[in-house]
């Protein structure tokens, strides 16, 4: 009779009577949820500009909202390898073997200073003006390559 395990039920149907929503309705609800989440992230990014918070790039927003579990590094937009930026050496740690370059253009694009290996700064000291190209680290963070000093440290 009725109530047996799956007898008389069509394959793939909801086994406990009539499920109140079709598969299409459920998919639409998920799509609306994702759209809401993306809008919330964009609003958060927009308002963080007024509070001095870090503003994620468009790529970071779409990566965070993406339903696939891909890393933000894969979604981050790789810079043109031949694009030269101009900045100033912010710090160098000989103990740790690295330093940072500050540059308004890369700060706007990546929300952080540019990491630089100390080996690329042989005759360069803190506050020197430099030109450099950028590549992305495994984490999607900006890393300087081809650093050239254009002016000595300024006070």
């Amino acid at each position: 009779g009725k109530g047996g395990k799956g007898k008389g039920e069509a394959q793939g149907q909801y086994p406990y009577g009539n499920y109140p929503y079709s598969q299409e309705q459920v998919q639409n609800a998920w799509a609306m949820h994702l759209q809401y989440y993306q809008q919330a992230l964009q609003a958060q990014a927009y308002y963080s500009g007024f509070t001095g918070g870090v503003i994620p790039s468009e790529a970071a927003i779409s990566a965070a909202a993406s339903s696939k579990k891909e890393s933000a590094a894969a979604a981050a937009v790789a810079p043109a390898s031949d694009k030269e930026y101009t900045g100033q050496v912010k710090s160098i740690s000989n103990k740790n073997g690295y330093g940072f370059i500050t540059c308004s253009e890369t700060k706007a694009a990546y929300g952080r200073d540019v990491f630089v290996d100390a080996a690329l700064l042989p005759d360069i000291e803190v506050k020197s003006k430099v030109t450099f190209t950028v590549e992305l680290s495994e984490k999607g963070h900006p890393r300087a390559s081809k650093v050239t000093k254009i002016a000595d440290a300024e006070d």
Side-chain angles (χ1 to χ4, degrees):
K2 270 264 199 223
K5 274 199 167 226
K7 291 186 181 149
E9 296 278 344
Q11 186 77 29
Q13 281 191 334
Y14 190 71
Y16 309 109
N18 291 331
Y19 186 65
Y21 303 106
S22 71
Q23 187 173 2
E24 185 180 5
Q25 287 173 309
V26 171
Q27 285 174 336
N28 285 341
W30 275 108
M32 287 171 61
H33 175 75
L34 180 62
Q35 189 175 20
Y36 167 79
Y37 183 67
Q38 285 177 317
Q39 287 174 345
L41 279 170
Q42 288 168 342
Q44 181 185 14
Y46 176 76
Y47 287 112
S48 70
F50 295 113
T51 60
V54 173
I55 301 172
S57 65
E58 194 72 16
I61 293 171
S62 60
S66 145
S67 56
K68 295 183 183 79
K69 298 274 189 261
E70 61 187 54
S71 71
V77 181
S81 59
D82 57 350
K83 171 136 175 65
E84 275 206 343
Y85 298 93
T86 303
Q88 191 173 30
V89 177
K90 182 179 184 178
S91 62
I92 302 171
S93 169
N94 293 323
K95 184 182 92 171
N96 294 325
Y98 63 82
F100 288 94
I101 298 171
T102 184
C103 164
S104 56
E105 194 176 351
T106 55
K107 187 96 165 192
Y110 302 103
R112 56 180 56 228
D113 291 324
V114 179
F115 174 92
V116 59
D117 192 300
L120 295 173
L121 305 172
D123 62 334
I124 301 174
E125 59 273 358
V126 173
K127 292 189 177 177
S128 293
K129 280 214 189 292
V130 294
T131 58
F132 59 98
T133 54
V134 172
E135 59 189 29
L136 294 182
S137 71
E138 302 76 39
K139 293 180 181 175
H141 297 167
R143 180 170 52 198
S145 54
K146 297 185 196 147
V147 180
T148 310
K149 180 164 74 170
I150 54 174
D152 286 328
E154 299 173 357
D155 288 325

